[in-house]
Amino acid sequence: MGRKKKLINDENKTLAKPKKGKFQTVRGMRDILPSEQPYWQKVRRVAEKVAQDYGYQRIDTPIVEFRNLFEKGTGPGTDIVEKEMFVFKTKGGDEVCLRPEGTPSVARAYIQHGMRSLPKPVKLFYIGPMYRYERPQEGRYREMFQFGFEVFGEKDPILDAQLIQIANRIFKGIGIKKFSFQLNSIGCEECRPSYRKLLISYLNNRKNALCMDCKKRLKKNPLRVLDCKEEKCQQVISQAPQMIDHLCSDCKKHFTFLLECLDELEIQFSINPHLVRGLDYYTKTVFEIWPEGEEDGQVALGGGGRYDKLVETLGGASTPAVGFACGMDRIVAEMKKREVKVNFSSQPKIFLVQLGDLAKKKSLKIFEQLESSGISVAESFGRGNLRSQLRQANQMKVDFVLIIGQREALDETIILKDMNSGSQEVITFSKTVFELKKRLKKVAEEKLNNSDKKGSKNIKSVSKSSPSPKNSKNLSKKGNRTAKKKNRSSKASSRPTKRKTSSRKRKK
Ligand code: AMP
């Protein structure tokens, strides 16, 4: 395709390649425009609130890190390190990169700042941009945003369960109700080597049926063959030996306990024995979060797992750890797709109109008084024309307009116009905040009453159509299904087996 390659903008529409001389965003990177901000704000707020509620403290690490942090941490055989890092040399000659993921940075910070001496477990939370030189397509960008949770210093699977609980809580809080977790255990240094041998021997016997990439993976990182998207490999993978059938007793116990916790929490999940997550540092638990109906797709909403050896690999003391990260770009896309409601109503309820130079000066002060009292107010200080300012106030659908003319400025008064009734009165500067608060409260109460009335109308009309026998049958069926599912889960949790597996083409 060469020159004809398409770019993706923030609305996921394609853009022609930029014309010469016109500045555009770099390929795979996007502007997040004001109209999109309410979605992003909701994701950030919910994640931050949940982090706080579960005792995870915020950490920010630099966007630029030494490249060998990821070469060592994420692993030399991974796509991220082999193909996707934005690497450059500083003027001082340091080999650095734009961070492609958060976990190695947070682990580095944990070691660098001696967090080992803090009470355990150390629970950390981050939000920020990550950079991967991938082929841009829908849901896959070169600059993307993640939030992540990491726990250091605890090997108990209850923490694995808590992280899944946290992810579950965040997705529900954001308003994405239909998603599910896929889980696997990829063992530890005790049980994985013998499984690895078994897998290599199985794959070697079917080498010719594998794609070119998998032939290479077979030498470097055979587990990653299990994660391959190619159809021809899928046939081989579907018959391959599975790690969960070869776990040592410790890993088996760990995984079983995790599944039991999830059953207890009534969190929906399925076991995907082919889930390996593509990064070198994982041990035991790995999981991903998928939007409902798209489990076979390309765009997981998040993923994570246990990484008990990473801190040691990076030069720290042996420290068990577990974490996950979610892609905010994909979450926002999913919110839009599912028509999740977000609050666009940070719209000001007041508009400040000023006429003449003295009024203009006075309105700066009035604006500050209102804003510092928590009253959201809009203005158009550059305009002096009454009509154009009122037109703007109308367009913004504010409840009240404050007008200061030359005379009002001299008298230290202000005209308060109610945009709903059209009535207006004169109040003094000093009473403005008080009067507005009183009126805004009244307007809010009236709106609430109106919506209550509407609500009760709806309830009446719903209760008119009492549940038909057909409906109640459906309800009980659903109940049975849940019960069955629960039973299945607890059976499986006593011995992890192939549950709800899917042979699918995807990348995490
Ligand atoms: P990872 O760090 O690869 O485990 O990814 C965690 C999550 O980040 C994924 O599940 C995605 O939601 C998101 N993600 C990863 N890579 C990208 C990308 N290139 N563009 C957008 N989101 C991504």
Side-chain angles (χ1 to χ4, degrees):
M1 292 277 281
R3 292 171 66 81
K4 279 188 188 154
K5 269 186 188 160
K6 302 275 179 165
L7 290 179
I8 296 166
N9 76 354
D10 59 317
E11 297 290 341
N12 292 335
K13 287 175 193 150
T14 52
L15 284 175
K17 210 170 184 193
K19 284 187 192 135
K20 258 192 186 164
K22 282 201 174 175
F23 287 112
Q24 304 245 339
T25 46
V26 170
R27 185 165 146 80
M29 306 205 180
R30 315 172 299 151
D31 297 314
I32 300 169
L33 300 176
S35 60
E36 298 223 29
Q37 292 297 339
Y39 292 98
W40 288 81
Q41 204 167 40
K42 183 158 187 176
V43 178
R44 271 194 299 267
R45 280 193 185 154
V46 172
E48 278 165 0
K49 171 83 172 61
V50 174
Q52 201 178 15
D53 291 350
Y54 283 76
Y56 286 70
Q57 287 185 305
R58 172 86 183 231
I59 182 164
D60 291 311
T61 58
I63 286 170
V64 176
E65 295 268 12
F66 286 109
R67 81 184 265 185
N68 62 1
L69 171 66
F70 301 97
E71 285 167 350
K72 249 194 142 177
T74 310
T78 59
D79 279 354
I80 289 183
V81 168
E82 260 188 1
K83 307 179 194 159
E84 296 169 4
M85 292 230 282
F86 280 83
V87 177
F88 58 99
K89 232 181 195 169
T90 64
K91 284 182 183 168
D94 289 329
E95 293 268 350
V96 295
C97 69
L98 303 182
R99 62 180 183 197
E101 58 149 340
T103 306
S105 302
V106 177
R108 187 230 359 99
Y110 176 86
I111 302 165
Q112 184 174 338
H113 301 286
M115 289 190 220
R116 195 181 157 215
S117 61
L118 297 175
K120 291 200 181 53
V122 176
K123 295 175 161 185
L124 301 169
F125 160 72
Y126 63 86
I127 290 192
M130 308 292 158
Y131 299 84
R132 295 183 191 173
Y133 198 81
E134 296 193 76
R135 199 168 67 80
Q137 50 190 288
E138 197 177 330
R140 196 169 295 281
Y141 307 103
R142 289 183 177 171
E143 181 188 60
M144 45 100 179
F145 293 78
Q146 290 185 343
F147 63 77
F149 289 71
E150 316 283 358
V151 189
F152 295 90
E154 185 50 76
K155 62 179 173 37
D156 196 307
I158 186 98
L159 268 310
D160 309 27
Q162 187 185 59
L163 286 169
I164 292 174
Q165 181 185 28
I166 284 174
N168 188 59
R169 171 77 189 70
I170 291 177
F171 279 92
K172 293 212 162 129
I174 286 170
I176 297 177
K177 306 271 187 266
K178 297 186 172 174
F179 60 92
S180 65
F181 291 93
Q182 293 191 4
L183 263 71
N184 193 18
S185 173
I186 55 169
C188 65
E189 58 186 355
E190 181 131 330
C191 50
R192 208 186 305 164
S194 56
Y195 167 72
R196 205 169 171 269
K197 269 191 202 152
L198 198 71
L199 182 67
I200 292 174
S201 127
Y202 170 85
L203 293 174
N204 263 331
N205 289 336
R206 290 151 188 88
K207 207 168 165 183
N208 292 339
L210 296 174
C211 71
M212 282 309 286
D213 275 350
C214 279
K215 281 181 186 148
K216 284 186 210 153
R217 283 180 192 132
L218 186 49
K219 283 190 194 137
K220 280 189 181 168
N221 195 345
L223 249 73
R224 287 222 36 233
V225 173
L226 298 176
D227 210 16
C228 180
K229 303 169 275 165
E230 293 292 327
E231 202 156 323
K232 59 190 291 197
C233 299
Q234 287 286 321
Q235 285 178 10
V236 178
I237 294 164
S238 64
Q239 304 296 320
Q242 296 175 354
M243 185 70 234
I244 46 170
D245 293 331
H246 297 87
L247 296 175
C248 62
S249 64
D250 185 38
C251 287
K252 202 172 193 171
K253 217 169 107 195
H254 189 100
F255 197 46
T256 304
F257 188 82
L258 167 63
L259 301 186
E260 283 167 359
C261 287
L262 297 183
D263 277 346
E264 196 63 40
L265 288 166
E266 296 187 31
I267 289 178
Q268 269 202 12
F269 65 90
S270 57
I271 294 175
N272 174 2
H274 301 145
L275 184 68
V276 293
R277 300 266 309 124
L279 308 182
D280 279 4
Y281 52 64
Y282 286 118
T283 46
K284 295 194 166 101
T285 313
V286 284
F287 66 92
E288 281 182 350
I289 306 143
W290 286 85
E292 192 190 71
E294 287 173 36
E295 293 84 355
D296 295 342
Q298 299 275 328
V299 284
L301 297 173
R306 185 159 274 282
Y307 50 93
D308 289 343
K309 294 285 155 203
L310 179 63
V311 175
E312 215 174 327
T313 307
L314 296 178
S318 170
T319 309
V322 55
F324 75 95
C326 288
M328 295 166 73
D329 308 73
R330 292 185 190 172
I331 292 177
V332 166
E334 187 64 16
M335 287 165 82
K336 289 182 181 172
K337 195 167 145 197
R338 306 265 173 199
E339 295 180 1
V340 168
K341 285 208 172 72
V342 288
N343 188 12
F344 288 95
S345 72
S346 49
Q347 284 282 88
K349 307 244 177 324
I350 316 283
F351 194 96
L352 184 56
V353 170
Q354 33 68 39
L355 303 162
D357 282 349
L358 184 61
K360 195 177 268 188
K361 285 179 207 155
K362 295 277 182 196
S363 31
L364 273 177
K365 183 98 183 146
I366 299 274
F367 186 94
E368 189 184 304
Q369 271 171 5
L370 294 170
E371 171 271 318
S372 59
S373 314
I375 299 174
S376 166
V377 54
E379 45 68 31
S380 182
F381 285 152
R383 293 188 189 178
N385 177 304
L386 178 65
R387 268 178 66 174
S388 74
Q389 290 184 72
L390 284 178
R391 197 180 317 122
Q392 198 172 343
N394 238 333
Q395 281 166 354
M396 293 181 82
K397 297 197 172 79
V398 294
D399 291 315
F400 299 97
V401 170
L402 295 171
I403 306 168
I404 316 175
Q406 186 72 5
R407 190 159 139 203
E408 287 76 25
L410 287 169
D411 293 353
E412 304 227 316
T413 57
I414 203 161
I415 299 169
L416 171 62
K417 184 175 167 74
D418 183 329
M419 295 297 274
N420 298 313
S421 68
S423 67
Q424 58 183 53
E425 63 188 286
V426 177
I427 54 175
T428 60
F429 276 3
S430 57
K431 284 212 159 159
T432 315
V433 169
F434 173 77
E435 290 295 334
L436 276 176
K437 280 197 167 166
K438 201 168 73 183
R439 282 168 174 75
L440 284 171
K441 195 172 164 203
K442 204 169 151 208
V443 170
E445 279 166 5
E446 277 167 12
K447 281 185 185 160
L448 197 70
N449 280 342
N450 287 343
S451 71
D452 275 356
K453 272 182 207 155
K454 264 192 208 159
S456 57
K457 243 190 212 166
N458 286 343
I459 290 168
K460 266 182 217 150
S461 61
V462 168
S463 60
K464 254 188 234 163
S465 61
S466 58
S468 64
K470 200 172 147 203
N471 283 345
S472 19
K473 208 169 150 194
N474 279 344
L475 277 178
S476 63
K477 246 191 193 170
K478 200 171 173 189
N480 279 342
R481 249 204 320 263
T482 319
K484 261 188 216 156
K485 187 167 189 309
K486 234 190 141 188
N487 279 341
R488 258 191 288 135
S489 303
S490 10
K491 254 187 230 154
S493 51
S494 55
R495 180 184 171 270
T497 48
K498 307 145 210 175
R499 239 186 331 160
K500 262 205 185 175
T501 60
S502 57
S503 63
R504 58 207 169 84
K505 273 174 71 179
R506 58 145 192 81
K507 202 180 165 197
K508 54 192 176 21

